[in-house]
Amino acid sequence: MTEKLIECPKCGKKALFAEHPDEYEVWLKCRECSYFRGMSKEEWHKLENSPNLEEKLKKYYKKETAEGKDTAGRILCKGCKKSFEKKDMGPFGQFCKKCWYKFAIAILALMVIASYMVWMMLI
C-alpha cells in the first residue's frame, strides 16, 4: 500500500504522511524535518476530506507556532480572540481590558447573588 505524501507545513517538502497507531488517533509526521502533530481520527477524517488540506495544515501550524502573537507584535486576547497592543491588555497579559471588565462584572454579580442567598437562608 502506497501512502499519500502531503506538503509539510514546516519545511515545505512533500514528506508528510499520516500514521495510524490505533483506531482512535492519527499522527502526522514529516520525513525531512521534526514536524509532528497528533489528532483524533474524526478530526483527521474531516481534514483529509477537505478540498484544501495543505492550506489548512499550514494554518494550524502557524497558529501553533505563533504562541499567542500575530505578526505585527500585537497580542491576542484569550477571551474575545482580537489582537491588541500591549498597553490595552489587562493584568497578566492574557485578556484585554474590556474582557477583564466583563469578568469583574460577572464576578461581582455572582457575589451579590451569593450574599443575598446566604442572607435569605439566615432569616
Side-chain angles (χ1 to χ4, degrees):
M1 178 175 141
T2 61
E3 57 188 27
K4 178 182 171 186
L5 294 178
I6 307 163
E7 183 179 323
C8 176
K10 185 175 180 182
C11 67
K13 297 178 183 174
K14 285 259 188 200
L16 191 70
F17 65 97
E19 186 176 297
H20 305 273
D22 61 23
E23 61 184 277
Y24 302 109
E25 62 183 335
V26 175
W27 295 346
L28 296 179
K29 295 180 178 181
C30 181
R31 291 186 173 140
E32 300 293 324
C33 66
S34 62
Y35 181 75
F36 174 83
R37 178 180 168 86
M39 63 180 66
S40 70
K41 194 90 160 186
E42 293 84 23
E43 185 181 9
W44 171 244
H45 181 70
K46 289 178 190 175
L47 194 63
E48 183 181 30
N49 293 326
S50 67
N52 46 0
L53 169 66
E54 292 174 350
E55 288 84 20
K56 286 187 179 180
L57 286 173
K58 286 179 187 177
K59 180 181 167 186
Y60 287 137
Y61 177 70
K62 286 180 183 177
K63 188 176 179 182
E64 289 171 349
T65 57
E67 295 179 6
K69 295 191 178 181
D70 63 9
T71 56
R74 297 166 57 98
I75 301 170
L76 295 175
C77 172
K78 293 191 182 225
C80 60
K81 305 294 186 208
K82 295 179 184 174
S83 66
F84 293 92
E85 295 289 328
K86 187 171 182 144
K87 64 182 172 78
D88 296 325
M89 297 302 284
F92 311 114
Q94 300 291 319
F95 297 95
C96 65
K97 290 179 181 175
K98 194 173 184 179
C99 287
W100 271 107
Y101 294 138
K102 289 178 184 177
F103 296 145
I105 290 170
I107 289 173
L108 182 64
L110 288 172
M111 289 173 61
V112 167
I113 292 169
S115 65
Y116 179 75
M117 289 174 58
V118 169
W119 179 65
M120 290 303 289
M121 287 172 44
L122 293 176
I123 290 182

Short mmCIF file of all heavy atoms in Angstrom, two decimals, residues 99-122:
data_model
loop_
_atom_site.label_atom_id
_atom_site.label_comp_id
_atom_site.label_asym_id
_atom_site.label_seq_id
_atom_site.Cartn_x
_atom_site.Cartn_y
_atom_site.Cartn_z
N CYS A 99 -12.36 42.59 28.32
CA CYS A 99 -12.73 41.27 28.85
C CYS A 99 -12.55 41.22 30.36
O CYS A 99 -13.35 40.61 31.06
CB CYS A 99 -11.91 40.17 28.18
SG CYS A 99 -12.41 39.85 26.48
N TRP A 100 -11.49 41.88 30.88
CA TRP A 100 -11.30 41.93 32.33
C TRP A 100 -12.48 42.60 33.01
O TRP A 100 -12.95 42.16 34.06
CB TRP A 100 -10.01 42.66 32.70
CG TRP A 100 -8.82 41.76 32.76
CD1 TRP A 100 -7.81 41.69 31.86
CD2 TRP A 100 -8.53 40.78 33.76
NE1 TRP A 100 -6.90 40.73 32.23
CE2 TRP A 100 -7.32 40.16 33.40
CE3 TRP A 100 -9.16 40.36 34.92
CZ2 TRP A 100 -6.74 39.16 34.15
CZ3 TRP A 100 -8.58 39.37 35.67
CH2 TRP A 100 -7.39 38.78 35.29
N TYR A 101 -12.99 43.70 32.42
CA TYR A 101 -14.14 44.38 32.99
C TYR A 101 -15.38 43.48 32.97
O TYR A 101 -16.15 43.45 33.93
CB TYR A 101 -14.42 45.69 32.26
CG TYR A 101 -13.33 46.72 32.42
CD1 TYR A 101 -12.90 47.48 31.35
CD2 TYR A 101 -12.72 46.94 33.66
CE1 TYR A 101 -11.89 48.41 31.49
CE2 TYR A 101 -11.70 47.87 33.80
CZ TYR A 101 -11.30 48.61 32.72
OH TYR A 101 -10.30 49.53 32.86
N LYS A 102 -15.56 42.74 31.89
CA LYS A 102 -16.69 41.81 31.81
C LYS A 102 -16.58 40.73 32.89
O LYS A 102 -17.57 40.38 33.53
CB LYS A 102 -16.76 41.17 30.43
CG LYS A 102 -17.20 42.12 29.35
CD LYS A 102 -17.19 41.42 28.00
CE LYS A 102 -17.52 42.38 26.88
NZ LYS A 102 -17.45 41.73 25.56
N PHE A 103 -15.38 40.19 33.07
CA PHE A 103 -15.17 39.18 34.11
C PHE A 103 -15.45 39.76 35.50
O PHE A 103 -16.07 39.12 36.34
CB PHE A 103 -13.75 38.62 34.07
CG PHE A 103 -13.41 37.86 32.82
CD1 PHE A 103 -12.13 37.92 32.30
CD2 PHE A 103 -14.35 37.09 32.16
CE1 PHE A 103 -11.80 37.22 31.16
CE2 PHE A 103 -14.03 36.39 31.01
CZ PHE A 103 -12.76 36.46 30.51
N ALA A 104 -14.98 40.99 35.74
CA ALA A 104 -15.18 41.62 37.04
C ALA A 104 -16.66 41.85 37.32
O ALA A 104 -17.13 41.61 38.44
CB ALA A 104 -14.41 42.94 37.10
N ILE A 105 -17.40 42.28 36.31
CA ILE A 105 -18.84 42.50 36.49
C ILE A 105 -19.54 41.18 36.77
O ILE A 105 -20.42 41.09 37.64
CB ILE A 105 -19.43 43.22 35.27
CG1 ILE A 105 -18.94 44.67 35.24
CG2 ILE A 105 -20.96 43.18 35.27
CD1 ILE A 105 -19.25 45.40 33.95
N ALA A 106 -19.17 40.12 36.06
CA ALA A 106 -19.79 38.81 36.27
C ALA A 106 -19.49 38.29 37.68
O ALA A 106 -20.38 37.78 38.36
CB ALA A 106 -19.28 37.82 35.22
N ILE A 107 -18.26 38.45 38.13
CA ILE A 107 -17.90 38.00 39.48
C ILE A 107 -18.63 38.83 40.53
O ILE A 107 -19.13 38.29 41.53
CB ILE A 107 -16.37 38.05 39.67
CG1 ILE A 107 -15.72 36.95 38.84
CG2 ILE A 107 -15.99 37.93 41.14
CD1 ILE A 107 -14.23 36.98 38.80
N LEU A 108 -18.72 40.13 40.31
CA LEU A 108 -19.44 40.99 41.24
C LEU A 108 -20.91 40.59 41.33
O LEU A 108 -21.48 40.49 42.43
CB LEU A 108 -19.31 42.46 40.82
CG LEU A 108 -19.98 43.48 41.73
CD1 LEU A 108 -19.31 43.48 43.11
CD2 LEU A 108 -19.90 44.85 41.11
N ALA A 109 -21.54 40.31 40.19
CA ALA A 109 -22.93 39.88 40.18
C ALA A 109 -23.10 38.55 40.91
O ALA A 109 -24.05 38.38 41.69
CB ALA A 109 -23.42 39.76 38.73
N LEU A 110 -22.18 37.62 40.70
CA LEU A 110 -22.23 36.34 41.40
C LEU A 110 -22.08 36.53 42.91
O LEU A 110 -22.75 35.85 43.71
CB LEU A 110 -21.18 35.38 40.87
CG LEU A 110 -21.43 34.81 39.48
CD1 LEU A 110 -20.22 34.03 38.99
CD2 LEU A 110 -22.66 33.91 39.49
N MET A 111 -21.20 37.43 43.31
CA MET A 111 -21.01 37.69 44.74
C MET A 111 -22.27 38.29 45.37
O MET A 111 -22.66 37.93 46.48
CB MET A 111 -19.81 38.61 44.95
CG MET A 111 -18.48 37.93 44.68
SD MET A 111 -17.06 39.04 44.74
CE MET A 111 -17.12 39.64 46.39
N VAL A 112 -22.94 39.20 44.66
CA VAL A 112 -24.16 39.81 45.17
C VAL A 112 -25.25 38.75 45.31
O VAL A 112 -25.94 38.68 46.33
CB VAL A 112 -24.62 40.97 44.25
CG1 VAL A 112 -26.03 41.41 44.57
CG2 VAL A 112 -23.66 42.13 44.36
N ILE A 113 -25.40 37.91 44.30
CA ILE A 113 -26.42 36.85 44.34
C ILE A 113 -26.12 35.88 45.47
O ILE A 113 -27.02 35.49 46.23
CB ILE A 113 -26.49 36.13 42.98
CG1 ILE A 113 -27.06 37.08 41.93
CG2 ILE A 113 -27.33 34.87 43.07
CD1 ILE A 113 -26.94 36.58 40.50
N ALA A 114 -24.86 35.48 45.62
CA ALA A 114 -24.49 34.53 46.68
C ALA A 114 -24.74 35.14 48.07
O ALA A 114 -25.26 34.46 48.97
CB ALA A 114 -23.04 34.11 46.53
N SER A 115 -24.39 36.41 48.25
CA SER A 115 -24.60 37.03 49.57
C SER A 115 -26.09 37.18 49.86
O SER A 115 -26.52 37.01 51.00
CB SER A 115 -23.90 38.39 49.65
OG SER A 115 -24.47 39.29 48.73
N TYR A 116 -26.89 37.46 48.85
CA TYR A 116 -28.34 37.54 49.04
C TYR A 116 -28.90 36.18 49.43
O TYR A 116 -29.75 36.08 50.32
CB TYR A 116 -29.02 38.04 47.75
CG TYR A 116 -30.52 38.13 47.86
CD1 TYR A 116 -31.11 39.16 48.58
CD2 TYR A 116 -31.33 37.18 47.26
CE1 TYR A 116 -32.50 39.24 48.70
CE2 TYR A 116 -32.71 37.25 47.37
CZ TYR A 116 -33.29 38.28 48.08
OH TYR A 116 -34.64 38.35 48.20
N MET A 117 -28.41 35.11 48.80
CA MET A 117 -28.88 33.76 49.13
C MET A 117 -28.51 33.40 50.57
O MET A 117 -29.33 32.83 51.30
CB MET A 117 -28.30 32.74 48.14
CG MET A 117 -28.90 32.85 46.75
SD MET A 117 -28.14 31.79 45.54
CE MET A 117 -28.35 30.19 46.25
N VAL A 118 -27.31 33.73 50.99
CA VAL A 118 -26.88 33.45 52.36
C VAL A 118 -27.74 34.25 53.34
O VAL A 118 -28.19 33.75 54.37
CB VAL A 118 -25.38 33.76 52.55
CG1 VAL A 118 -24.98 33.74 54.01
CG2 VAL A 118 -24.56 32.76 51.76
N TRP A 119 -27.99 35.53 53.04
CA TRP A 119 -28.79 36.39 53.89
C TRP A 119 -30.21 35.82 54.02
O TRP A 119 -30.79 35.84 55.10
CB TRP A 119 -28.79 37.79 53.31
CG TRP A 119 -29.60 38.77 54.08
CD1 TRP A 119 -29.36 39.21 55.36
CD2 TRP A 119 -30.78 39.44 53.65
NE1 TRP A 119 -30.32 40.13 55.72
CE2 TRP A 119 -31.20 40.29 54.69
CE3 TRP A 119 -31.51 39.44 52.47
CZ2 TRP A 119 -32.32 41.09 54.59
CZ3 TRP A 119 -32.62 40.24 52.36
CH2 TRP A 119 -33.03 41.05 53.43
N MET A 120 -30.78 35.34 52.91
CA MET A 120 -32.15 34.78 52.95
C MET A 120 -32.19 33.48 53.75
O MET A 120 -33.18 33.18 54.38
CB MET A 120 -32.67 34.53 51.53
CG MET A 120 -32.97 35.80 50.75
SD MET A 120 -34.14 36.89 51.56
CE MET A 120 -35.63 35.97 51.39
N MET A 121 -31.12 32.71 53.74
CA MET A 121 -31.09 31.48 54.49
C MET A 121 -31.01 31.75 56.00
O MET A 121 -31.51 30.97 56.80
CB MET A 121 -29.90 30.61 54.06
CG MET A 121 -30.10 29.99 52.69
SD MET A 121 -28.68 29.15 52.00
CE MET A 121 -28.03 28.23 53.31
N LEU A 122 -30.38 32.86 56.39
CA LEU A 122 -30.25 33.19 57.81
C LEU A 122 -31.52 33.80 58.38
O LEU A 122 -31.72 33.77 59.59
CB LEU A 122 -29.08 34.15 58.00
CG LEU A 122 -27.70 33.57 57.71
CD1 LEU A 122 -26.63 34.65 57.84
CD2 LEU A 122 -27.40 32.42 58.65
#
